[in-house]
Amino acid sequence: MPAFPPSSSSRRFVVVLNEESGTVVRLGKEAVVEAVTDAFREGGIELEMHAVKAQNLQQCLEQAVAGDADALIVGGGDGTVASAATLLAARGKTKTMAMGVLPLGTFNLAARDLGMPLDLEEAARVLTTAPVVPMDAMELNGRLYLCLMVLGFYPALKMARPEHHGWWLVRAFHTLRDSLRHAATFPKLDLALVQEDGRMLQCRTRVALITNNDYAEVFGVLPQRTSLDAGHFTVYVSTHRTRLGLLRSFFAYLLGRWKQDREVTRLQTTELEIHARRKRTLPVMMDGEVERLALPLRITLRPGALQVIAPRAAEEKPAG
């Protein structure tokens, strides 16, 4: 399994923190920078640290990727992580510069996928010892996304309403409440999903999810990814007709039984083209960021697109 050189060798990390991310705002920039710096230096890491506002984040990431550090450590939410991944791929650095994630956002789906601890200091310490492994990504309009895309009522709702901030459980409650209130009345989309072999799935839905690889049926609020490099993405299409059906589906999800829901259509593929009848554009949520995009959408899996620092890989490594 690929890994960084032994701790006795000099390793260089460049760290880019989004100082407007939730954890930095809550704890304070100085406290976060100090905690991360101390943890990395204790692990023998030569460090270059940047904490910047969101408006300067892209430029800072570009400068970091242009360098020759062993790893780019991104501190922020899932949108910040997706921006870093896209830049690494555009610069051809995905084989020479690993990417690590500090969970500073709200849901931190990418960090959770990698098996990162959610405690800041523990996460920084783990990044100094965890293995480096390949990770698939989804490409849409030239950008890489690591976790999830959503079509339908939820991204439209997010575009129309202010975003909830704060602790992820509070945000999850607001998300559930708003979803149940509006999902059953949102106009259905007539979608045509065309796979790489030409097969087409036509469906009427209020929400469709495209997940990088697949999610496991486990008890809990946030999904758990089955693999980092399974070589496909999975599409889940809701055909629920009532609010009660959606509510039953949510509780089945909490109990880890949601794949048994007969009103959820599921397919796995590596390329997908999405059309919507009588629509030229659609709101789409991609790793937490919402944009209105022109149709058709063309999503392509990029197998092993990134080298990532993943603590979960050490836990999954067979004994012996």
Side-chain angles (χ1 to χ4, degrees):
M1 180 180 297
F4 286 118
S7 57
S8 58
S9 301
S10 177
R11 291 169 293 164
R12 296 184 59 248
F13 286 4
V14 55
V15 181
V16 178
L17 305 179
N18 180 352
E19 65 179 60
E20 296 178 28
S21 58
T23 301
V24 179
V25 171
R26 178 168 54 87
L27 298 179
K29 182 176 75 171
E30 292 77 12
V32 171
V33 169
E34 182 179 1
V36 172
T37 300
D38 289 347
F40 280 139
R41 287 180 176 165
E42 287 175 8
I45 303 298
E46 182 183 337
L47 197 63
E48 180 182 334
M49 172 71 72
H50 303 276
V52 298
K53 294 186 179 297
Q55 64 191 44
N56 301 319
L57 188 62
Q58 187 73 10
Q59 181 181 2
C60 187
L61 286 171
E62 289 175 357
Q63 293 172 348
V65 171
D68 59 356
D70 296 300
L72 168 62
I73 310 299
V74 185
D78 293 308
T80 303
V81 176
S83 296
T86 300
L87 284 170
L88 283 168
R91 290 278 187 141
K93 289 292 191 73
T94 55
K95 302 301 181 184
T96 59
M97 183 180 289
M99 185 177 73
V101 178
L102 287 169
L104 303 183
T106 302
F107 288 120
N108 297 306
L109 293 179
R112 293 173 189 269
D113 284 347
L114 296 172
M116 290 297 302
L118 298 185
D119 177 78
L120 177 61
E121 293 184 42
E122 185 181 357
R125 285 194 293 268
V126 164
L127 285 171
T128 67
T129 59
V132 177
V133 298
M135 182 179 188
D136 296 343
M138 298 182 291
E139 182 178 332
L140 171 62
N141 291 352
R143 285 181 57 86
L144 296 187
Y145 298 98
L146 306 185
C147 304
L148 180 69
M149 300 180 189
V150 184
L151 288 70
F153 79 88
Y154 185 59
L157 186 65
K158 284 197 66 175
M159 291 193 78
R161 290 172 173 262
E163 186 176 2
H164 299 292
H165 293 281
W167 194 29
W168 72 267
L169 276 175
V170 175
R171 186 171 173 183
F173 167 77
H174 285 295
T175 298
L176 173 62
R177 183 197 62 188
D178 292 346
S179 297
L180 292 175
R181 183 180 297 170
H182 296 279
T185 58
F186 188 84
K188 289 186 177 181
L189 297 173
D190 289 303
L191 297 181
L193 311 179
V194 184
Q195 300 181 59
E196 74 274 16
D197 59 4
R199 287 182 296 167
M200 179 186 296
L201 171 65
Q202 293 183 304
C203 52
R204 299 195 73 210
T205 183
R206 290 187 173 93
V207 63
L209 284 69
I210 301 101
T211 66
N212 190 4
N213 295 172
D214 199 1
Y215 285 125
E217 288 187 300
V218 294
F219 179 85
V221 175
L222 293 179
Q224 293 186 22
R225 185 163 162 174
T226 58
S227 172
L228 296 178
D229 58 349
H232 63 257
F233 58 84
T234 306
V235 185
Y236 300 95
V237 181
S238 164
T239 57
H240 299 93
R241 292 173 290 182
T242 66
R243 186 179 283 113
L244 180 59
L246 284 166
L247 185 60
R248 281 199 300 260
S249 182
F250 173 74
F251 282 111
Y253 163 77
L254 285 181
L255 296 172
R257 300 174 182 171
W258 54 281
K259 290 185 181 180
Q260 303 171 33
D261 189 337
R262 295 182 179 181
E263 292 185 282
V264 174
T265 299
R266 176 172 173 262
L267 65 89
Q268 293 181 338
T269 186
T270 57
E271 293 184 20
L272 191 70
E273 187 170 283
I274 301 177
H275 302 257
R277 185 182 179 189
R278 297 179 181 173
K279 300 284 186 182
R280 294 185 177 180
T281 64
L282 278 180
V284 183
M285 186 179 78
M286 303 150 293
D287 286 0
E289 305 295 324
V290 180
E291 294 182 34
R292 181 172 287 276
L293 301 179
L295 294 173
L297 304 176
R298 296 180 177 88
I299 304 168
T300 303
L301 186 82
R302 297 301 181 203
L306 301 165
Q307 296 293 314
V308 293
I309 306 174
R312 66 176 284 177
E315 298 171 3
E316 295 171 354
K317 185 178 180 181

